[in-house]
Amino acid sequence: AQSVTQLDSQVPVFEEAPVELRCNYSSSVSVYLFWYVQYPNQGLQLLLKYLSGSTLVESINGFEAEFNKSQTSFHLRKPSVHISDTAEYFCAVTLTGGGNKLTFGTGTQLKVEL
Amino acid sequence: DVKVTQSSRYLVKRTGEKVFLECVQDMDHENMFWYRQDPGLGLRLIYFSYDVKMKEKGDIPEGYSVSREKKERFSLILESASTNQTSMYLCASSPTGGWSPLHFGNGTRLTVT
């Protein structure tokens, strides 16, 4: 079975600073990888996904994540964060032949401060 | 836009009560899911369904059951609510295909006293 580890439960950062949220997964077979974001009092929204091809994927609001197969990682980065990026971020994995049954990490709370 | 609607935002029930959490999606998605979200534990899959009248157990099905009589509606049932079922419950739907993203409702915060 697959699993996801998010090493940091909370990440405080000042506005306009860069940030990296770490995600490692374990699986013996091919996977799809996702980052979801949850703003306060809302459900989760898809931020970006890796299915195949280029290992670097980007979102429309400046986040990017890089799939590293040898390190089994899918870290999320943003070069300059904004107050509005304050949210909880979840990494998730599913097997390529396993339907949409996602396994989520425990989440990282990103708090952007002035 | 896909809309996943959960009938209640907040719910308070007593121990031993039978509780129904309702979820409706408007995009004709085949797949529907129920997760619970707890601090420090992330999201854990309770049950999912790939089609009408079909259901499969997720990682933590004990104490729960589900019903899917119509494609757009997926109900989570707590047969006899207990305090350890106090949690945020999230419903999600998606079209077929492992690459398809999940669309989530805003959640139901259930408190069992």
Side-chain angles (χ1 to χ4, degrees), chain B residues 14-76:
Chain B
R14 293 186 182 276
T15 302
E17 277 192 81
K18 189 170 186 176
V19 181
F20 293 86
L21 303 183
E22 306 289 346
C23 175
V24 177
Q25 51 97 359
D26 66 357
M27 282 300 291
D28 203 37
H29 285 168
E30 291 79 13
N31 305 328
M32 296 190 75
F33 306 82
W34 275 106
Y35 286 87
R36 64 176 283 176
Q37 180 180 10
D38 300 288
L41 297 177
L43 277 74
R44 293 178 292 166
L45 182 62
I46 305 172
Y47 267 96
F48 59 104
S49 169
Y50 288 145
D51 202 349
V52 176
K53 296 193 185 294
M54 290 182 64
K55 59 184 179 183
E56 294 196 40
K57 294 180 179 179
D59 300 318
I60 53 163
E62 296 78 20
Y64 303 95
S65 62
V66 290
S67 171
R68 194 169 181 197
E69 296 296 318
K70 293 185 177 181
K71 192 174 185 179
E72 66 270 20
R73 186 180 297 271
F74 193 36
S75 303
L76 180 69

Side-chain angles (χ1 to χ4, degrees), chain A residues 32 34 36 38 41-44 46 49 51 88 90 94 98-107, chain B residues 9 31 33 35 37 40-43 45 48 50 90 94-95 97-102 104-106:
Chain A
Y32 296 134
F34 304 82
Y36 282 81
Q38 184 179 34
N41 298 314
Q42 295 184 26
L44 278 71
L46 179 69
K49 61 185 177 186
L51 305 180
E88 190 156 23
F90 292 92
T94 186
N100 303 75
K101 186 183 168 189
L102 287 180
T103 298
F104 285 86
T106 52
Chain B
R9 183 76 177 113
N31 305 328
F33 306 82
Y35 286 87
Q37 180 180 10
L41 297 177
L43 277 74
L45 182 62
F48 59 104
Y50 288 145
L90 294 171
S94 78
W99 57 88
S100 302
L102 269 60
F104 283 86
N106 285 339

Side-chain angles (χ1 to χ4, degrees), chain B residues 6-22 34-39 46 63-64 76-90 106-113:
Chain B
Q6 295 185 230
S7 55
S8 302
R9 183 76 177 113
Y10 298 95
L11 211 51
V12 180
K13 296 292 182 181
R14 293 186 182 276
T15 302
E17 277 192 81
K18 189 170 186 176
V19 181
F20 293 86
L21 303 183
E22 306 289 346
W34 275 106
Y35 286 87
R36 64 176 283 176
Q37 180 180 10
D38 300 288
I46 305 172
Y64 303 95
L76 180 69
I77 304 158
L78 287 66
E79 295 289 342
S80 178
S82 64
T83 55
N84 63 11
Q85 293 178 309
T86 290
S87 185
M88 171 68 85
Y89 290 87
L90 294 171
N106 285 339
T108 295
R109 184 167 295 281
L110 173 67
T111 302
V112 182
T113 61

